[in-house]
């Protein structure tokens, strides 16, 4: 089976999410990549280095600069003429593009897979991760998004893919234009790839307290910083910090939940973490049912003391 | 202009799903069902646009649901919130996003809405597909994961929640928008409005009326509970916590 993988990139380098998608795709057969964007030579070269990659299709055009689904989907559909599966990481861009591709191919997409059980059989979480379904598709072409935390990353080097340009005439479908973006400045490790994450909840009370308590602890541990929906909705931190069913899905080595009660929507985003540490003053908080190490007490006392003693 | 708002009846978000012992699925008998939370946000946004907020120019809001007869309740909720009329596409089959998108495409062809606002995902199957698929089938622009929507006479500007921050796109009308959690705070339906909703028009259709085959493409072989986590330990104080972290090699 020939599989086309959507390469998630920032214009200069390949994002880690792609490497997980490559691992999932390699379980289906031959892996080809699609690099779409504007001025993406460096990305294409980097993509060709990924272990196990065959052809790297490169579509370089202004129409693809911001990965607008309206322009990218027809490009993918064209390439699907000689591929059997399209695989994208379940990032916001993968989730935006892949279903549009599936509809144009008249196939059902399989979202957010956790494992590949056979060439047409996969597992995926439903009901906020409270159930795992094994599903089998009857579609000839497959469109799949991959939960990146469920697959090891493919080695970023050691491959020898061949780079091939794709013609992009008429790529701008003219129904959408990119206006601008506001990317949150964050010097810490990216949440979805961080080994350690310190997350704060509503109990912190304010954005100042969040920064004052959570950030020094995160710095001590070299950790990424996350938050519950309550903390985001209360305006303590920007929404791209949110971990959960509707935010980011993370699975770090260590997840430290501070002042987070553990609603099912939050657990959906972090319960595959290797070790969960919970600090909460309510000893009946649901978070303690999944925490490996729990400490009941006042976070305003515990967190500074912990930061100090580490 | 018209706005179409598809809504789905799902297991209430506060209910912990129970997986059936025979592995055939999640037990939905005798549990509370509600409108998918993202769809409530979609209904709210459509009504705000009709009220003239965020642009305005909307004259009619049509709620649509695909599924069993009981989806009527979900549509009545949308009507009580302020939708003008509703369409139930009734079927007892479990309809996949692709088939829902095809039905919605047919309704869009018939009704000619300028905007279709959907939730970004349903909290039961967690697919996050229908809006994008409908956009693909209609060829319209898609503003997914919207946290802000501004409507103009011939375009809609959508601020989207993406990994890393926010992104803004301008789409030519007609267009598709899918809602993220922070788009708005949905209103509660007042009792008088719930009473009024009972007399608002609700038409009954079937997938066959739209010529859509709803046969599933994906077969669910089994549904199991996720692996249980080992019970953890509670520590008494910070020193003990630091010791544990040290033993586990977590200290930097």
């Amino acid at each position: 089976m020939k599989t086309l993988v959507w390469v998630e990139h920032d214009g200069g380098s390949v994002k880690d999410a792609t490497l997980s998608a490559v691992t999932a795709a390699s379980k289906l057969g031959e892996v080809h990549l699609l690099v779409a964007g504007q001025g993406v030579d460096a990305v294409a070269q980097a993509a060709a280095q990924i272990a196990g990659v065959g052809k790297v299709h490169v579509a370089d055009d202004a129409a693809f600069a911001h990965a607008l689904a309206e322009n990218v989907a027809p490009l993918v559909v064209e390439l699907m003429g000689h591929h059997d599966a399209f695989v994208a990481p379940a990032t916001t861009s993968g989730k935006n593009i892949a279903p549009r591709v599936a509809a144009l191919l008249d196939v059902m997409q399989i979202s957010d897979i956790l494992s590949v059980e056979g060439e047409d059989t996969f597992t995926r979480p439903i009901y906020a991760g409270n159930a795992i379904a094994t599903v089998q598709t009857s579609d000839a072409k497959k469109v799949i998004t991959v939960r990146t935390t469920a697959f090891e990353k493919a080695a970023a080097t050691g491959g020898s893919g061949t780079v091939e340009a794709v013609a992009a005439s008429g790529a701008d479908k003219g129904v959408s234009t990119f206006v601008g973006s506001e990317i949150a400045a964050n010097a810490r490790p990216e949440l979805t790839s961080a080994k350690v994450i310190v997350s704060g909840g509503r109990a912190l009370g304010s954005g100042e307290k969040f920064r004052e308590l959570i950030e020094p602890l995160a710095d001590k541990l070299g950790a990424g910083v996350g938050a519950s929906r309550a903390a985001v909705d209360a305006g303590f931190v920007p929404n791209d910090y949110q971990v959960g069913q509707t935010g980011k899905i993370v699975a770090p080595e260590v997840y430290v939940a501070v002042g987070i009660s553990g609603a099912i929507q939050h657990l959906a985003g972090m319960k595959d973490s290797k070790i969960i540490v919970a600090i909460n003053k309510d000893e009946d908080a649901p978070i303690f049912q999944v925490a490996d190490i729990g400490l009941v007490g006042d976070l305003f006392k515990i967190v500074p003391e912990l930061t100090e003693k580490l | 202009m018209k706005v179409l708002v598809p809504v789905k009846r799902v297991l209430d978000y506060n209910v912990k799903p129970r997986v059936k012992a025979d592995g055939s699925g999640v037990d939905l008998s005798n549990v509370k069902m509600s409108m998918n939370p993202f769809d409530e946000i979609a209904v709210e946004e459509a009504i705000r646009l009709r009220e003239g907020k965020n642009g305005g120019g909307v004259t009619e809001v049509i709620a649509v649901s695909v599924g069993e007869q009981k989806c009527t309740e979900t549509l009545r909720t949308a009507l009580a919130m302020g939708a003008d009329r509703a369409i139930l596409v009734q079927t007892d089959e479990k309809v996949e996003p692709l088939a829902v998108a095809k039905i919605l495409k047919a309704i869009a062809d018939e009704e000619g809405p300028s905007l279709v606002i959907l939730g970004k995902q349903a909290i039961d199957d967690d697919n996050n597909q229908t809006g994008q698929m409908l956009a693909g089938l209609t060829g319209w622009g898609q503003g997914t994961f919207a946290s802000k929507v501004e409507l103009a006479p011939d375009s809609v500007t959508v601020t989207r929640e993406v990994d890393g921050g926010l992104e803004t796109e301008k789409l030519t009308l007609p267009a598709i928008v899918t809602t993220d959690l922070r788009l708005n705070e949905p209103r509660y339906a007042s009792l008088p409005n719930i009473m009024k909703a009972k007399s608002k028009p609700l038409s009954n259709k079937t997938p066959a009326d739209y010529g859509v085959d709803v046969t599933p493409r994906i077969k669910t072989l089994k549904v199991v509970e996720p692996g249980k986590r080992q019970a953890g330990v509670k520590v008494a104080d910070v020193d003990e916590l630091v010791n544990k972290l040290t033993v586990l090699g977590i200290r930097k």
Side-chain angles (χ1 to χ4, degrees), chain A residues 70 95-96 100 106 109 111 124 127-128 132 134 136 138-139 177 179-180 182 184 242 245 271 273 292 294, chain B residues 38 102 124-127 129 132 140 142 144 163-164 166 168 170 172 182 217 219 221-222 224 229 233 235 239:
Chain A
E70 298 83 353
K95 288 179 191 169
N96 188 39
R100 192 170 178 117
D106 193 28
Q109 173 180 296
S111 295
R124 59 176 303 265
Y127 290 90
I132 309 295
T134 304
Q136 184 176 36
S138 57
D139 285 318
T177 31
V179 178
E182 272 173 64
Q242 186 183 319
Q245 184 185 20
K271 68 183 163 133
S273 305
D292 301 279
Chain B
F38 291 100
K102 287 178 179 175
D124 52 0
D125 57 23
D126 282 332
N127 271 317
Q129 299 175 0
Q132 295 89 314
W140 299 351
Q142 63 186 59
T144 49
D163 296 330
L166 300 171
T168 305
K170 191 174 175 182
T172 310
R182 269 164 289 274
R217 309 285 188 87
K219 196 158 95 188
L221 303 179
K222 65 172 180 204
V224 297
R229 291 190 70 94
V233 291
V235 293
D239 288 320

Short mmCIF file of all heavy atoms in Angstrom, two decimals, chain A residues 70 95-96 100 106 109 111 124 127-128 132 134 136 138-139 177 179-180 182 184 242 245 271 273 292 294, chain B residues 38 102 124-127 129 132 140 142 144 163-164 166 168 170 172 182 217 219 221-222 224 229 233 235 239:
data_model
loop_
_atom_site.label_atom_id
_atom_site.label_comp_id
_atom_site.label_asym_id
_atom_site.label_seq_id
_atom_site.Cartn_x
_atom_site.Cartn_y
_atom_site.Cartn_z
N GLU A 70 -8.94 24.70 1.66
CA GLU A 70 -9.63 24.83 0.37
C GLU A 70 -8.66 24.63 -0.80
O GLU A 70 -9.04 24.11 -1.85
CB GLU A 70 -10.28 26.21 0.25
CG GLU A 70 -11.37 26.49 1.30
CD GLU A 70 -10.80 26.98 2.64
OE1 GLU A 70 -9.56 26.98 2.81
OE2 GLU A 70 -11.59 27.34 3.51
N LYS A 95 -6.50 18.01 11.17
CA LYS A 95 -7.95 17.86 11.36
C LYS A 95 -8.74 18.78 10.44
O LYS A 95 -9.89 18.51 10.11
CB LYS A 95 -8.32 18.22 12.80
CG LYS A 95 -7.89 17.23 13.85
CD LYS A 95 -8.31 17.78 15.20
CE LYS A 95 -7.71 17.00 16.35
NZ LYS A 95 -7.92 17.70 17.62
N ASN A 96 -8.12 19.87 10.04
CA ASN A 96 -8.78 20.82 9.16
C ASN A 96 -8.81 20.30 7.72
O ASN A 96 -9.81 20.40 7.03
CB ASN A 96 -8.03 22.16 9.23
CG ASN A 96 -8.75 23.28 8.49
OD1 ASN A 96 -9.97 23.36 8.55
ND2 ASN A 96 -7.99 24.12 7.81
N ARG A 100 -11.80 17.16 4.57
CA ARG A 100 -12.16 17.75 3.27
C ARG A 100 -11.66 16.85 2.14
O ARG A 100 -12.36 16.62 1.15
CB ARG A 100 -11.58 19.17 3.16
CG ARG A 100 -12.14 19.95 1.99
CD ARG A 100 -11.75 21.43 2.01
NE ARG A 100 -12.27 22.10 0.85
CZ ARG A 100 -13.17 23.08 0.88
NH1 ARG A 100 -13.63 23.54 2.02
NH2 ARG A 100 -13.61 23.63 -0.25
N ASP A 106 -14.89 10.78 -1.52
CA ASP A 106 -16.06 9.99 -1.14
C ASP A 106 -15.70 8.80 -0.26
O ASP A 106 -16.13 7.68 -0.49
CB ASP A 106 -16.85 9.52 -2.38
CG ASP A 106 -18.23 8.98 -2.00
OD1 ASP A 106 -18.77 9.42 -0.97
OD2 ASP A 106 -18.74 8.09 -2.71
N GLN A 109 -13.51 9.20 6.84
CA GLN A 109 -12.20 9.33 7.50
C GLN A 109 -12.19 8.55 8.80
O GLN A 109 -13.20 8.42 9.48
CB GLN A 109 -11.93 10.80 7.79
CG GLN A 109 -10.67 11.01 8.62
CD GLN A 109 -10.42 12.46 8.91
OE1 GLN A 109 -10.18 13.24 7.99
NE2 GLN A 109 -10.49 12.84 10.17
N SER A 111 -10.59 8.97 12.34
CA SER A 111 -9.96 10.06 13.08
C SER A 111 -9.15 9.56 14.26
O SER A 111 -9.61 8.68 14.99
CB SER A 111 -11.02 11.03 13.61
OG SER A 111 -11.69 11.67 12.55
N ARG A 124 -9.38 3.51 17.85
CA ARG A 124 -9.48 4.95 18.09
C ARG A 124 -10.32 5.22 19.34
O ARG A 124 -11.20 4.45 19.67
CB ARG A 124 -10.06 5.68 16.86
CG ARG A 124 -11.45 5.22 16.43
CD ARG A 124 -11.95 6.08 15.26
NE ARG A 124 -11.93 7.47 15.63
CZ ARG A 124 -12.99 8.13 16.10
NH1 ARG A 124 -14.16 7.54 16.23
NH2 ARG A 124 -12.89 9.40 16.43
N TYR A 127 -15.93 8.96 22.95
CA TYR A 127 -16.44 9.44 24.23
C TYR A 127 -15.29 9.96 25.12
O TYR A 127 -15.09 9.50 26.23
CB TYR A 127 -17.22 8.35 24.96
CG TYR A 127 -18.54 8.03 24.31
CD1 TYR A 127 -18.63 7.05 23.33
CD2 TYR A 127 -19.69 8.74 24.64
CE1 TYR A 127 -19.84 6.76 22.70
CE2 TYR A 127 -20.91 8.46 24.03
CZ TYR A 127 -20.97 7.47 23.07
OH TYR A 127 -22.17 7.20 22.44
N ALA A 128 -14.55 10.93 24.61
CA ALA A 128 -13.48 11.57 25.38
C ALA A 128 -12.49 10.55 25.94
O ALA A 128 -11.97 10.72 27.04
CB ALA A 128 -14.05 12.43 26.49
N ILE A 132 -12.55 2.66 23.81
CA ILE A 132 -11.66 2.50 22.66
C ILE A 132 -12.37 1.59 21.65
O ILE A 132 -12.74 0.46 21.99
CB ILE A 132 -10.32 1.83 23.07
CG1 ILE A 132 -9.68 2.55 24.26
CG2 ILE A 132 -9.37 1.75 21.87
CD1 ILE A 132 -9.22 3.96 24.00
N THR A 134 -12.52 -0.51 18.05
CA THR A 134 -11.76 -1.10 16.95
C THR A 134 -12.65 -1.01 15.72
O THR A 134 -13.78 -1.50 15.74
CB THR A 134 -11.42 -2.57 17.24
OG1 THR A 134 -10.73 -2.63 18.49
CG2 THR A 134 -10.53 -3.15 16.15
N GLN A 136 -13.23 -1.02 11.33
CA GLN A 136 -12.74 -1.55 10.06
C GLN A 136 -13.42 -0.77 8.94
O GLN A 136 -14.64 -0.64 8.93
CB GLN A 136 -13.11 -3.03 9.97
CG GLN A 136 -12.58 -3.72 8.74
CD GLN A 136 -12.90 -5.20 8.77
OE1 GLN A 136 -13.97 -5.60 9.24
NE2 GLN A 136 -11.98 -6.02 8.29
N SER A 138 -14.44 -0.05 4.93
CA SER A 138 -14.67 -0.78 3.67
C SER A 138 -14.30 0.09 2.47
O SER A 138 -14.48 -0.30 1.33
CB SER A 138 -16.14 -1.21 3.59
OG SER A 138 -16.96 -0.07 3.70
N ASP A 139 -13.80 1.31 2.75
CA ASP A 139 -13.43 2.20 1.65
C ASP A 139 -12.12 1.75 0.99
O ASP A 139 -11.19 1.32 1.68
CB ASP A 139 -13.26 3.63 2.17
CG ASP A 139 -14.59 4.31 2.44
OD1 ASP A 139 -15.51 4.14 1.63
OD2 ASP A 139 -14.70 5.00 3.47
N THR A 177 -9.02 33.49 2.18
CA THR A 177 -7.73 34.17 2.25
C THR A 177 -7.24 34.21 3.69
O THR A 177 -8.04 34.32 4.62
CB THR A 177 -7.80 35.63 1.76
OG1 THR A 177 -9.08 36.14 2.05
CG2 THR A 177 -7.50 35.77 0.29
N VAL A 179 -5.65 36.00 6.71
CA VAL A 179 -5.59 37.39 7.13
C VAL A 179 -4.40 37.64 8.06
O VAL A 179 -3.67 38.60 7.89
CB VAL A 179 -6.91 37.81 7.81
CG1 VAL A 179 -6.83 39.26 8.30
CG2 VAL A 179 -8.09 37.64 6.87
N GLY A 180 -4.20 36.76 9.02
CA GLY A 180 -3.08 36.95 9.94
C GLY A 180 -3.10 35.91 11.03
O GLY A 180 -4.02 35.09 11.10
N GLU A 182 -1.80 35.07 15.32
CA GLU A 182 -1.22 35.50 16.59
C GLU A 182 -0.70 34.25 17.24
O GLU A 182 -1.48 33.44 17.75
CB GLU A 182 -2.32 36.03 17.53
CG GLU A 182 -2.66 37.48 17.40
CD GLU A 182 -3.86 37.77 18.27
OE1 GLU A 182 -3.75 37.63 19.51
OE2 GLU A 182 -4.91 38.08 17.71
N ALA A 184 1.23 32.50 20.17
CA ALA A 184 1.64 32.82 21.54
C ALA A 184 3.13 32.57 21.72
O ALA A 184 3.64 31.52 21.33
CB ALA A 184 0.84 31.97 22.52
N GLN A 242 -4.36 24.79 26.68
CA GLN A 242 -5.38 23.87 27.20
C GLN A 242 -5.12 22.40 26.87
O GLN A 242 -4.93 22.03 25.72
CB GLN A 242 -6.75 24.27 26.68
CG GLN A 242 -7.87 23.45 27.30
CD GLN A 242 -9.22 23.81 26.72
OE1 GLN A 242 -9.51 24.97 26.50
NE2 GLN A 242 -10.02 22.81 26.46
N GLN A 245 -9.96 17.07 26.04
CA GLN A 245 -10.69 16.56 24.87
C GLN A 245 -10.74 17.61 23.77
O GLN A 245 -10.60 17.29 22.60
CB GLN A 245 -12.12 16.20 25.30
CG GLN A 245 -12.96 15.57 24.19
CD GLN A 245 -14.41 15.34 24.63
OE1 GLN A 245 -14.89 15.94 25.57
NE2 GLN A 245 -15.08 14.44 23.94
N LYS A 271 -4.47 11.38 30.31
CA LYS A 271 -4.39 10.18 31.14
C LYS A 271 -3.47 9.10 30.58
O LYS A 271 -3.26 8.07 31.22
CB LYS A 271 -5.78 9.64 31.47
CG LYS A 271 -6.55 9.08 30.33
CD LYS A 271 -7.92 8.65 30.83
CE LYS A 271 -8.78 8.50 29.63
NZ LYS A 271 -9.56 7.41 29.45
N SER A 273 -0.35 9.83 30.17
CA SER A 273 0.96 10.23 30.69
C SER A 273 1.54 9.06 31.49
O SER A 273 0.80 8.32 32.13
CB SER A 273 0.82 11.44 31.61
OG SER A 273 0.15 12.49 30.94
N ASP A 292 -0.53 8.83 40.07
CA ASP A 292 0.39 7.86 40.65
C ASP A 292 0.88 8.36 42.00
O ASP A 292 1.10 7.59 42.91
CB ASP A 292 1.58 7.65 39.71
CG ASP A 292 1.12 7.15 38.37
OD1 ASP A 292 0.89 5.95 38.25
OD2 ASP A 292 0.96 7.98 37.44
N GLY A 294 0.01 11.44 44.75
CA GLY A 294 -0.90 12.55 45.09
C GLY A 294 -0.47 13.21 46.38
O GLY A 294 0.05 12.56 47.29
N PHE B 38 -20.90 21.69 21.52
CA PHE B 38 -20.39 22.55 20.45
C PHE B 38 -21.53 23.05 19.56
O PHE B 38 -21.44 24.13 18.96
CB PHE B 38 -19.36 21.82 19.61
CG PHE B 38 -18.08 21.54 20.35
CD1 PHE B 38 -17.82 20.30 20.89
CD2 PHE B 38 -17.13 22.54 20.52
CE1 PHE B 38 -16.65 20.05 21.59
CE2 PHE B 38 -15.95 22.30 21.21
CZ PHE B 38 -15.71 21.05 21.75
N LYS B 102 -23.49 14.71 3.33
CA LYS B 102 -24.23 14.63 2.05
C LYS B 102 -25.66 15.10 2.21
O LYS B 102 -26.20 15.80 1.34
CB LYS B 102 -24.20 13.19 1.53
CG LYS B 102 -22.84 12.80 0.98
CD LYS B 102 -22.84 11.36 0.51
CE LYS B 102 -21.48 11.00 -0.07
NZ LYS B 102 -21.42 9.57 -0.43
N ASP B 124 -19.51 12.39 21.28
CA ASP B 124 -19.66 10.93 21.37
C ASP B 124 -18.64 10.21 20.48
O ASP B 124 -17.80 9.46 20.96
CB ASP B 124 -21.10 10.49 21.07
CG ASP B 124 -21.66 11.03 19.76
OD1 ASP B 124 -20.94 11.77 19.04
OD2 ASP B 124 -22.82 10.70 19.44
N ASP B 125 -18.66 10.49 19.17
CA ASP B 125 -17.69 9.80 18.31
C ASP B 125 -16.38 10.58 18.14
O ASP B 125 -15.43 10.05 17.57
CB ASP B 125 -18.31 9.43 16.96
CG ASP B 125 -18.85 10.65 16.22
OD1 ASP B 125 -18.38 11.77 16.51
OD2 ASP B 125 -19.72 10.49 15.36
N ASP B 126 -16.33 11.83 18.65
CA ASP B 126 -15.11 12.63 18.61
C ASP B 126 -14.44 12.68 17.23
O ASP B 126 -13.22 12.70 17.13
CB ASP B 126 -14.09 12.13 19.66
CG ASP B 126 -14.44 12.59 21.08
OD1 ASP B 126 -15.08 13.64 21.21
OD2 ASP B 126 -14.07 11.89 22.04
N ASN B 127 -15.25 12.70 16.17
CA ASN B 127 -14.68 12.62 14.82
C ASN B 127 -14.06 13.92 14.30
O ASN B 127 -13.02 13.90 13.68
CB ASN B 127 -15.74 12.16 13.82
CG ASN B 127 -15.81 10.66 13.71
OD1 ASN B 127 -14.78 9.98 13.67
ND2 ASN B 127 -17.01 10.11 13.69
N GLN B 129 -15.24 15.93 11.77
CA GLN B 129 -15.19 15.76 10.32
C GLN B 129 -16.32 16.46 9.56
O GLN B 129 -16.10 16.95 8.45
CB GLN B 129 -15.30 14.26 9.96
CG GLN B 129 -14.19 13.39 10.51
CD GLN B 129 -14.43 11.92 10.21
OE1 GLN B 129 -15.43 11.54 9.59
NE2 GLN B 129 -13.53 11.08 10.65
N GLN B 132 -15.99 19.99 7.81
CA GLN B 132 -14.98 20.00 6.75
C GLN B 132 -15.49 19.22 5.53
O GLN B 132 -15.25 19.60 4.38
CB GLN B 132 -13.67 19.37 7.24
CG GLN B 132 -12.97 20.13 8.36
CD GLN B 132 -13.41 19.71 9.75
OE1 GLN B 132 -14.59 19.56 10.04
NE2 GLN B 132 -12.46 19.50 10.64
N TRP B 140 -17.29 25.16 -0.67
CA TRP B 140 -17.24 26.44 0.03
C TRP B 140 -16.01 26.52 0.93
O TRP B 140 -15.41 25.51 1.27
CB TRP B 140 -18.51 26.61 0.89
CG TRP B 140 -19.78 26.61 0.09
CD1 TRP B 140 -19.90 26.65 -1.27
CD2 TRP B 140 -21.12 26.53 0.61
NE1 TRP B 140 -21.24 26.63 -1.63
CE2 TRP B 140 -22.00 26.55 -0.50
CE3 TRP B 140 -21.67 26.47 1.90
CZ2 TRP B 140 -23.39 26.50 -0.35
CZ3 TRP B 140 -23.06 26.42 2.04
CH2 TRP B 140 -23.90 26.44 0.93
N GLN B 142 -14.01 27.03 4.47
CA GLN B 142 -14.28 26.50 5.80
C GLN B 142 -13.48 27.24 6.86
O GLN B 142 -12.27 27.38 6.76
CB GLN B 142 -13.97 24.99 5.85
CG GLN B 142 -12.50 24.64 5.60
CD GLN B 142 -12.27 23.13 5.51
OE1 GLN B 142 -12.85 22.44 4.67
NE2 GLN B 142 -11.42 22.61 6.40
N THR B 144 -12.76 26.54 10.41
CA THR B 144 -12.93 25.55 11.48
C THR B 144 -12.38 26.07 12.81
O THR B 144 -11.51 26.93 12.83
CB THR B 144 -12.19 24.25 11.13
OG1 THR B 144 -10.86 24.57 10.72
CG2 THR B 144 -12.88 23.51 10.00
N ASP B 163 -3.10 25.14 16.84
CA ASP B 163 -1.98 24.79 17.71
C ASP B 163 -1.04 25.99 17.74
O ASP B 163 -0.63 26.47 16.69
CB ASP B 163 -1.21 23.58 17.16
CG ASP B 163 -2.07 22.32 17.14
OD1 ASP B 163 -2.97 22.21 18.00
OD2 ASP B 163 -1.84 21.47 16.27
N GLY B 164 -0.70 26.47 18.90
CA GLY B 164 0.23 27.58 18.98
C GLY B 164 -0.41 28.95 19.09
O GLY B 164 0.26 29.91 19.41
N LEU B 166 -3.70 31.71 17.48
CA LEU B 166 -4.91 32.02 16.71
C LEU B 166 -4.54 32.36 15.28
O LEU B 166 -3.45 32.85 15.00
CB LEU B 166 -5.62 33.24 17.33
CG LEU B 166 -6.09 33.09 18.77
CD1 LEU B 166 -6.58 34.44 19.30
CD2 LEU B 166 -7.19 32.05 18.88
N THR B 168 -6.45 33.99 11.56
CA THR B 168 -7.66 34.60 11.02
C THR B 168 -7.73 34.38 9.52
O THR B 168 -6.74 34.54 8.81
CB THR B 168 -7.69 36.11 11.35
OG1 THR B 168 -7.56 36.25 12.75
CG2 THR B 168 -8.98 36.74 10.90
N LYS B 170 -10.41 34.94 5.96
CA LYS B 170 -11.60 35.57 5.41
C LYS B 170 -12.17 34.64 4.34
O LYS B 170 -11.43 34.21 3.44
CB LYS B 170 -11.23 36.93 4.81
CG LYS B 170 -12.41 37.77 4.44
CD LYS B 170 -11.94 39.14 3.99
CE LYS B 170 -13.12 39.96 3.50
NZ LYS B 170 -12.69 41.26 3.01
N THR B 172 -15.24 33.78 1.44
CA THR B 172 -16.32 34.29 0.61
C THR B 172 -17.60 33.53 0.97
O THR B 172 -17.55 32.33 1.21
CB THR B 172 -15.98 33.99 -0.87
OG1 THR B 172 -14.65 34.44 -1.12
CG2 THR B 172 -16.92 34.69 -1.82
N ARG B 182 -14.69 28.60 22.88
CA ARG B 182 -14.64 29.98 23.34
C ARG B 182 -15.38 30.97 22.44
O ARG B 182 -15.31 32.17 22.66
CB ARG B 182 -13.19 30.41 23.54
CG ARG B 182 -12.72 30.14 24.95
CD ARG B 182 -11.24 30.20 25.06
NE ARG B 182 -10.65 29.06 24.40
CZ ARG B 182 -10.48 27.89 24.98
NH1 ARG B 182 -10.83 27.70 26.21
NH2 ARG B 182 -9.94 26.89 24.33
N ARG B 217 -19.78 3.04 6.18
CA ARG B 217 -18.55 2.59 5.52
C ARG B 217 -17.61 1.96 6.52
O ARG B 217 -16.69 1.24 6.17
CB ARG B 217 -17.83 3.78 4.90
CG ARG B 217 -18.66 4.68 4.01
CD ARG B 217 -18.92 4.01 2.67
NE ARG B 217 -19.56 4.94 1.74
CZ ARG B 217 -18.90 5.79 0.96
NH1 ARG B 217 -17.58 5.83 0.99
NH2 ARG B 217 -19.54 6.58 0.15
N LYS B 219 -17.13 -0.25 10.02
CA LYS B 219 -17.77 -1.22 10.91
C LYS B 219 -17.04 -1.17 12.24
O LYS B 219 -15.81 -1.21 12.28
CB LYS B 219 -17.64 -2.61 10.27
CG LYS B 219 -18.56 -3.64 10.87
CD LYS B 219 -18.77 -4.78 9.90
CE LYS B 219 -17.79 -5.90 10.23
NZ LYS B 219 -17.76 -6.98 9.25
N LEU B 221 -15.89 -3.11 15.18
CA LEU B 221 -15.72 -4.52 15.52
C LEU B 221 -15.92 -4.74 17.01
O LEU B 221 -16.53 -5.70 17.42
CB LEU B 221 -14.33 -5.01 15.09
CG LEU B 221 -14.00 -4.86 13.61
CD1 LEU B 221 -12.59 -5.36 13.31
CD2 LEU B 221 -15.01 -5.59 12.72
N LYS B 222 -15.36 -3.84 17.81
CA LYS B 222 -15.62 -3.93 19.25
C LYS B 222 -15.29 -2.61 19.94
O LYS B 222 -14.56 -1.79 19.41
CB LYS B 222 -14.81 -5.08 19.88
CG LYS B 222 -13.32 -4.86 19.83
CD LYS B 222 -12.57 -5.92 20.64
CE LYS B 222 -11.10 -5.62 20.52
NZ LYS B 222 -10.17 -6.68 20.73
N VAL B 224 -14.08 -1.33 23.80
CA VAL B 224 -13.61 -1.77 25.11
C VAL B 224 -13.31 -0.56 25.98
O VAL B 224 -13.17 0.56 25.49
CB VAL B 224 -12.34 -2.65 25.01
CG1 VAL B 224 -12.63 -3.93 24.25
CG2 VAL B 224 -11.19 -1.88 24.38
N ARG B 229 -5.59 2.66 34.99
CA ARG B 229 -4.31 3.03 35.59
C ARG B 229 -4.16 2.33 36.93
O ARG B 229 -5.13 2.10 37.63
CB ARG B 229 -4.23 4.55 35.79
CG ARG B 229 -4.15 5.33 34.49
CD ARG B 229 -3.83 6.79 34.77
NE ARG B 229 -2.47 6.95 35.24
CZ ARG B 229 -1.44 7.25 34.47
NH1 ARG B 229 -1.63 7.42 33.17
NH2 ARG B 229 -0.23 7.39 34.97
N VAL B 233 -0.24 6.30 44.99
CA VAL B 233 -0.06 6.50 46.43
C VAL B 233 -0.24 7.98 46.75
O VAL B 233 0.00 8.85 45.92
CB VAL B 233 1.35 6.07 46.89
CG1 VAL B 233 1.50 4.57 46.79
CG2 VAL B 233 2.43 6.78 46.09
N VAL B 235 1.15 10.94 49.19
CA VAL B 235 2.28 11.25 50.05
C VAL B 235 1.84 12.30 51.08
O VAL B 235 0.87 13.02 50.85
CB VAL B 235 3.50 11.76 49.24
CG1 VAL B 235 4.06 10.66 48.36
CG2 VAL B 235 3.14 12.98 48.41
N ASP B 239 8.43 16.91 51.23
CA ASP B 239 9.69 16.15 51.28
C ASP B 239 9.51 14.76 50.68
O ASP B 239 10.34 14.29 49.91
CB ASP B 239 10.19 16.05 52.73
CG ASP B 239 10.73 17.39 53.21
OD1 ASP B 239 11.38 18.07 52.40
OD2 ASP B 239 10.46 17.76 54.36
#
